[in-house]
Amino acid sequence: MGQALEKPKLFPETKSFVWFFVIMSVLIGFRVGYEYHAYKTFISKPFYYTYATVITSYEKTKHTKRYKVLKLRSDDGFTFYTTSHQKKEFNHARLRLQLFPTESISFSSYLGTFYVKSKIKNTEVLPPTLKDILLNAVNKQHKDESIASFYNAIFFATPIDPKLRQKIALLGVSHLVALSGFHLGILWALVYGLVLLLYRPCQQKFFPYRHALFDVGLVAVLVLGVYVWFVGFPPSLLRSYAMVVLGWAMLLLAIELLSFTFLASVFLLLCLAFPSLLVSLSFWLSVAGVFYIFVLLQYTKQWNKWLITLLVIPLGIFVLMLPIVHAVFGVTSAYQLISPLLSLLFIIFYPLVMLLHIIGFGGVFDSVLSALFALPKEASEHLLPWWATLIYIGLSVGAIWHKKLFYVVLGLAIGYGIYLFT
């Protein structure tokens, strides 16, 4: 029997990828330079007028005085925090503000999210949007506000209750709450599978010459694109959607999909289009997670597919990401060891609770979730030093080409895990 033909690569030669990398890096440099010029212009002004929409609003108390913290998205394209001592309600509001920028705003904060003092000149209460209506519909199905915030976070990328966020971190499942490629992968399978069920009979009867991957894939890409726009383009979800679109295109062109040049290309294209991603922690963690999935698949692709899906990927990603996560977040709990199992269960849980909320029975698992979130009681702090993190990252990159380095990285991650949880 003849061997299967090897799929062509995105970059047939290393030289072509190097040139692509160099050109993209130069373009990103120019793009960042343009943003830096806009930043210098912004902070040099004594005041700056803008219109902005309130994303979130919550109360804080300092020295017995209450005030409101507002997170806003400006019509000019940046996101910022400000405070107000006005007692009015700012949810669903559009504001005309006078900002007072200072040099204390760093360039990285300007690209991401920064704090600036302001005066509210005008407030316009906007009518409820479709998203507001859906959020309210979810809230009505739950007595516990924190559980409602959990569901709204996994459905609509809204901020989660701070106390619940800490409990979720102790369980090691923050990645399940922050919308990312994991959620988009489940949604892709759901949309593609359902549309395919309807498409197949029609294809066989009316248009057998059509290509299902193109037609059904196009519908799935459009539906997911609308969803990503609807929830406000979270950085990790934006990275995932770009990979879905480009991955679908590569499948149509029969080009090798699981390659590090593909991941690097998506990364560079997104950074060129959205420089703010360069300072987005969720984006970097999302890229790291996909990188380690690719590393695992490179050295286990000959294994049983079910073994890879049910054991290698969830357990391997948990272990390999431990040093990366603990370079940023120090919180550590023994309950984080059940994270791989919870990640597997989430594949079934996510579409199921979507359906339950649609038919009005979203509160079915409330008691189970409350009991789960109440499990962690204590935690310790373990931050991995930056020098150790950089060594680990360097070895991980080297593992792309050297299998022995992959085993070194895996051994270091396992050893670090034993240190954390014993």
Side-chain angles (χ1 to χ4, degrees), residues 14-204:
T14 303
K15 183 180 178 180
S16 59
F17 173 72
V18 171
W19 274 111
F20 173 79
F21 182 84
V22 170
I23 292 170
M24 290 298 296
S25 297
V26 171
L27 290 175
I28 291 170
F30 279 117
R31 186 82 164 85
V32 172
Y34 173 81
E35 293 294 334
Y36 185 75
H37 174 73
Y39 156 74
K40 295 297 286 185
T41 303
F42 177 73
I43 64 170
S44 66
K45 294 183 177 182
F47 56 85
Y48 183 97
Y49 285 99
T50 188
Y51 284 97
T53 303
V54 176
I55 302 173
T56 57
S57 169
Y58 58 91
E59 281 194 352
K60 289 194 75 173
T61 303
K62 186 176 183 181
H63 305 305
T64 70
K65 290 185 178 180
R66 285 190 171 188
Y67 61 95
K68 290 191 175 180
V69 178
L70 309 178
K71 184 179 182 181
L72 306 106
R73 181 175 292 113
S74 167
D75 287 3
D76 300 314
F78 49 81
T79 305
F80 62 97
Y81 287 97
T82 192
T83 53
S84 172
H85 292 277
Q86 296 183 21
K87 294 183 179 180
K88 64 176 66 175
E89 181 58 55
F90 288 103
N91 286 327
H92 316 309
R94 178 173 169 78
L95 310 179
R96 170 73 170 169
L97 304 107
Q98 183 182 18
L99 307 182
F100 301 96
T102 66
E103 292 188 356
S104 63
I105 300 171
S106 67
F107 178 51
S108 61
S109 297
Y110 174 80
L111 285 178
T113 306
F114 58 92
Y115 171 81
V116 62
K117 291 183 178 180
S118 69
K119 283 185 180 178
I120 298 174
K121 296 296 184 180
N122 187 41
T123 303
E124 176 189 358
V125 179
L126 301 173
T129 62
L130 175 60
K131 186 175 181 178
D132 297 325
I133 294 170
L134 293 175
L135 289 170
N136 189 49
V138 171
N139 290 335
K140 287 181 177 179
Q141 297 183 46
H142 305 280
K143 295 179 180 178
D144 189 331
E145 290 184 4
S146 63
I147 298 297
S149 76
F150 164 76
Y151 280 114
N152 281 326
I154 65 173
F155 294 156
F156 308 113
T158 56
I160 197 166
D161 179 77
K163 291 181 180 178
L164 182 58
R165 185 189 302 119
Q166 180 67 17
K167 293 289 186 181
I168 287 170
L170 291 174
L171 286 170
V173 291
S174 296
H175 63 287
L176 299 182
V177 180
L179 289 181
S180 65
F182 188 50
H183 304 76
L184 211 61
I186 297 172
L187 292 175
W188 168 272
L190 192 63
V191 174
Y192 192 93
L194 290 175
V195 174
L196 189 62
L197 282 176
L198 300 173
Y199 178 88
R200 281 297 188 201
C202 296
Q203 181 193 33
Q204 293 171 0

Side-chain angles (χ1 to χ4, degrees), residues 275-341:
S276 61
L277 294 179
L278 290 168
V279 296
S280 170
L281 179 59
S282 63
F283 175 70
W284 283 100
L285 290 174
S286 176
V287 170
V290 177
F291 170 80
Y292 284 115
I293 289 175
F294 279 27
V295 172
L296 283 167
L297 290 176
Q298 176 167 293
Y299 295 114
T300 62
K301 57 187 176 183
Q302 304 300 327
W303 295 14
N304 180 276
K305 290 183 179 180
W306 285 106
L307 181 64
I308 293 173
T309 303
L310 298 177
L311 185 63
V312 172
I313 296 299
L315 190 58
I317 293 303
F318 171 74
V319 171
L320 291 171
M321 284 292 290
L322 280 175
I324 303 297
V325 172
H326 281 80
V328 185
F329 304 108
V331 62
T332 306
S333 165
Y335 284 100
Q336 291 171 348
L337 290 170
I338 65 173
S339 171
L341 175 60

Side-chain angles (χ1 to χ4, degrees), residues 190-244:
L190 192 63
V191 174
Y192 192 93
L194 290 175
V195 174
L196 189 62
L197 282 176
L198 300 173
Y199 178 88
R200 281 297 188 201
C202 296
Q203 181 193 33
Q204 293 171 0
K205 189 172 183 180
F206 300 109
F207 39 84
Y209 51 88
R210 297 291 304 179
H211 189 12
L213 179 61
F214 177 83
D215 293 341
V216 180
L218 181 60
V219 173
V221 163
L222 292 175
V223 170
L224 294 186
V226 170
Y227 176 70
V228 173
W229 164 79
F230 184 73
V231 299
F233 299 103
S236 56
L237 203 62
L238 189 60
R239 187 276 310 159
S240 306
Y241 182 67
M243 289 196 72
V244 166

Side-chain angles (χ1 to χ4, degrees), residues 176 182 186 309-310 342-352:
L176 299 182
F182 188 50
I186 297 172
T309 303
L310 298 177
L342 294 177
S343 297
L344 278 175
L345 293 175
F346 192 81
I347 297 173
I348 302 171
F349 173 81
Y350 191 49
L352 177 59

